[in-house]
Amino acid sequence: MDRRTRYGFSAWWFTALLAALSAANPVLSGADLVRAVDSTLTSVSAALKGLFLPESLQAPSNRTSRCKVYPGDPEWPSDEAWAKLDELTDHRLLARPEPQAAVCYNGPLYDAEKCAQITATWNSSYTHYIDPIEMMSPVAQGMTCLPPNVFDSHNCTRGGFPMYVINATEPKHVQMGVNFARNTGVRLVVKNTGHDFLGKSGGKDSLSIWTHHFKDIDYIEDFVDETLGYSGPAFKAGVGVQAFEIYKAAHEYGHSVVGGEGETVGIFGGYIQGGGHSPLTSLYGTGADQVLAFEVVTADGEFVIANSTSNIDLFWAMRGGGGSTFGVATSVTVKAHPDMPTAVSRFSFTSEKIGNETFWAGIRAYVDYFIPNAEAGTYAYFLLVPNVYTGIFTFSMTPFFAPNKTLEETQALLQPWFARLNDLGIEFDPNITHFDNFYDAWRSSFPLETVEKINATTGSRLFPRTNFETEEKREELYHNIRQSSENNRVQVHFNIKAVDPDNADNAVNPAWRPNILFSQQAVRWPVNGTAQEILKIRQEFQAGDMQRWRDISPGAGGYLAEADRLEPNFGQAFWGDKYPRLVELKRKLDPHDVFFATTSVGSERWKVESVDGLPNENGKLCRVDL
Ligand SMILES: Cc1cc2nc3c(=O)[nH]c(=O)nc-3n(C[C@H](O)[C@H](O)[C@H](O)COP(=O)(O)OP(=O)(O)OC[C@H]3O[C@@H](n4cnc5c(N)ncnc54)[C@H](O)[C@@H]3O)c2cc1C
Ligand SMILES: *[C@@H]1O[C@H](CO)[C@@H](O)[C@H](O)[C@H]1NC(C)=O
Ligand SMILES: *[C@@H]1O[C@H](CO)[C@@H](O)[C@H](O)[C@H]1NC(C)=O
Ligand SMILES: *[C@@H]1O[C@H](CO)[C@@H](O)[C@H](O)[C@H]1NC(C)=O
Ligand SMILES: *[C@@H]1O[C@H](CO)[C@@H](O)[C@H](O)[C@H]1NC(C)=O
Ligand SMILES: *[C@@H]1O[C@H](CO)[C@@H](O)[C@H](O)[C@H]1NC(C)=O
Ligand SMILES: *[C@@H]1O[C@H](CO)[C@@H](O)[C@H](O)[C@H]1NC(C)=O
Ligand SMILES: *[C@@H]1O[C@H](CO)[C@@H](O)[C@H](O)[C@H]1NC(C)=O
Ligand SMILES: *[C@@H]1O[C@H](CO)[C@@H](O)[C@H](O)[C@H]1NC(C)=O
Ligand SMILES: *[C@@H]1O[C@H](CO)[C@@H](O)[C@H](O)[C@H]1NC(C)=O
Ligand SMILES: *[C@@H]1O[C@H](CO)[C@@H](O)[C@H](O)[C@H]1NC(C)=O
């Protein structure tokens, strides 16, 4: 058998495809074929399914090798196979895209000037989301090929980056990628912006589907879904649409939508499938609660609509079940809400002049207002930052966000806490500004996100209402937050309530519903520590500071998109009692595990065997049960 035949390029599938198309198109050239596939996408998807199927019909599920297919394996697709994939994706296949900092390392790409450029802009999220492979968590990527002054890896290797990327702009391109990966056994990843804290948009030597260029936004004035009980305006957005784009579009139509705080977060990819919290969550619920329909390429290569009446299991699972698990979405239709006036306030204070006890008394006072503030529909995003060198703690409100509130209402909400801060002698400048719309308030309030640190990782916890209902519980929570600061954890907190106005039946982590404080803390380690040292610090963080947080919130959870790859028992933490159903649906909807992401539903069956033993993408993806 020659390679071409063996890897699926014998004439049979091509004949089958032509046969499937021939009724409508008796004579087809290669270019016609592409167009024909476009215009009759759903009807030919059965034929597309056969594409790249090796003659042996070896589905990944009964392949004898333990790992996905990698370069050097006899099953690794031939150059001709990749060339065919390129042709079938309208020549949108990028072969071996280089990490951006390759220009900083010895080799053919070395260029001092370009290196200086990339170094200067490295920490900006723009540098990463416009790139086919870069991700914003260098730790999860595997720390290869960063600018040397950020981290000198000595050599620029591909590390946790994909080998091939489909720069997809149409569902057909996604179908080709899914089929290719399923039938060759090559690891598949999906990258949108690369924001995911756990680095779930990467994978060593994989085939990546890059969704960034699905950018259409359509306004639907009156979307009616009787099953969901929704009648009103909606936006249908391509999955590459980012926060700054959808907020602007919504504003132009006199609306707002539920999306993240970060300017460049992808709202219709990992964010919305993973749940997604928002400055509007205390009013309207999570991102996933807004979804009216998805267009999806499924694991078997079909292009389908998942909505309240069509593919209802898929629709249920993709609203909260997490990205890269059940299918690749190409568009999402979401509810649009009225635009509204919004008040915001940013302020900060430190322990420098007032000392530790006064500083912490100010924080303790704030804890008393978490329930009423969330109940009032507001969102507070605040940081607690320790400085290990100076012993000074900093509190930053960045911002307090009060949608649909007047200046007076916002002042009245904050006044009781401010009065106590004044009594304590804590000086701060509570500049409250009122905007007549959501978009301007959002733009003025949130800092542009930066790339994550090279020696830190974040764990998260959704603290429910019960942690705040009594003086004793508030005291306990406060002590545990303070303890984390004293243990040098940088903390990020969101005082929000994920309301569920429509009693949505979806896969959103049930721990969001009673949430009052969504909290993150980061562990840091010496940059030059050995892998063993780093792993030990990270495990101690999970067993120590994170376990303390879990211990005081039994049965609660964490947030899957802002979490630590070492979160124990992640199924319970990220999906609670919905996890068993999700696992069942994963088996049904993706029986060959075409899709995988670390800590995703069903991912227990697989593990990235990283070269340094740390939890990152720089290694082969292999089964744990073989
Ligand atoms: C600075 C910063 C700010 C953030 N702010 C918020 C916030 O306010 N609220 C919040 O909830 N979260 C926030 N996040 C977390 C954010 O929700 C996650 O990073 C999320 O994964 C981003 O989705 P993405 O598609 O942009 O990212 P990616 O990292 O590209 O993708 C994330 C995951 O989704 C999968 N995926 C992406 N697109 C698709 C698709 N079309 N179909 C199937 N799978 C897909 C990927 O394979 C990956 O597993 C923030 C993150 C950062 C770094
Ligand atoms: C894989 O499993 C399928 C279905 O059980 C079977 O038809 C096929 O022959 C198997 N392939 C190999 C190579 O064992
Ligand atoms: C980003 O990097 C630039 C240049 O290296 C630096 O000046 C700036 O402070 C950094 N910003 C953040 C937020 O880290
Ligand atoms: C860099 O890569 C080259 C070629 O693979 C190898 O010979 C060399 O040892 C590597 N250097 C380091 C510091 O890893
Ligand atoms: C990806 O496709 C878009 C849209 O066609 C194009 O503008 C962009 O240059 C492509 N990117 C790469 C790296 O090829
Ligand atoms: C759901 O999808 C099906 C199949 O495409 C479609 O017929 C139906 O109209 C959709 N429902 C709504 C409410 O749009
Ligand atoms: C405040 O607490 C920090 C950390 O516990 C400590 O390092 C610092 O010395 C304390 N500051 C004062 C003024 O006591
Ligand atoms: C916003 O405020 C208006 C006027 O007070 C009120 O009618 C409306 O219900 C509020 N919207 C939300 C989502 O709370
Ligand atoms: C208050 O905040 C607004 C908006 O962020 C800003 O324009 C204004 O300059 C601030 N005022 C003061 C006194 O800091
Ligand atoms: C983490 O790295 C930064 C920058 O490289 C460094 O300043 C900091 O000291 C490191 N943190 C620890 C705990 O080593
Ligand atoms: C890491 O770097 C620090 C400061 O540069 C140095 O003191 C320490 O000995 C180094 N540790 C290791 C394991 O190389």
Side-chain angles (χ1 to χ4, degrees), residues 303-349:
F303 179 58
V304 303
I305 289 179
N307 66 12
S308 65
T309 53
S310 203
N311 298 291
I312 54 176
D313 282 346
L314 191 59
F315 185 53
W316 184 83
M318 287 181 74
R319 285 176 298 155
S324 196
T325 306
F326 302 101
V328 185
T330 59
S331 82
V332 190
T333 304
V334 293
K335 295 174 189 173
H337 299 287
D339 203 348
M340 60 191 114
T342 298
V344 298
S345 184
R346 295 166 61 99
F347 54 92
S348 62
F349 55 87

